[in-house]
Amino acid sequence: MGLEKVVGVLRDNLTVRRVYGEPVEKDGVVIVPAANVVGGGGGGHGTEQGKEGEGGGFVLAARPVGAYVLKGGDVRWVPAVDVTFLGAVFAVMVATIHRARRRRSR
């Protein structure tokens, strides 16, 4: 994939549509999902032993963070709960406390 094509794909993918999803309406309630989106990329062009080349790449990562809920003229933010992340944080805390107690008892 050439550098110009990589830049074009990157430009097409880094839009506000990656952060805010399409609104969903049901029974007078509108929900607008939101995500945290991170992206980056790079590319280059060079010559070696009389041969030219170019290339590049990028990464795009997104995770849901919540949604705006519109109902009866009121807007409220409802955060997404990442149970896996909370479980990992809890496990690290338990391991750290356990390790600290073992060191004290020596």
Side-chain angles (χ1 to χ4, degrees), residues 57-99:
F58 71 96
V59 65
L60 185 65
R63 69 177 187 85
V65 293
Y68 288 101
V69 178
L70 295 80
K71 181 178 180 183
D74 292 329
V75 178
R76 68 184 172 105
W77 172 254
V78 179
V81 178
D82 187 348
V83 179
T84 303
F85 177 74
L86 293 177
V89 169
F90 180 74
V92 168
M93 287 176 50
V94 168
T96 303
I97 291 168
H98 179 68
R99 186 178 300 150

Side-chain angles (χ1 to χ4, degrees), residues 2-24:
L3 188 55
E4 287 182 24
K5 189 169 183 178
V6 169
V7 171
V9 171
L10 183 60
R11 182 189 63 241
D12 293 343
N13 281 289
L14 291 178
T15 68
V16 72
R17 289 180 166 271
R18 295 287 182 215
V19 177
Y20 296 103
E22 292 294 327
V24 177

Side-chain angles (χ1 to χ4, degrees), residues 35-48:
N36 181 14
V37 179
V38 178
H45 173 46
T47 304
E48 183 176 321

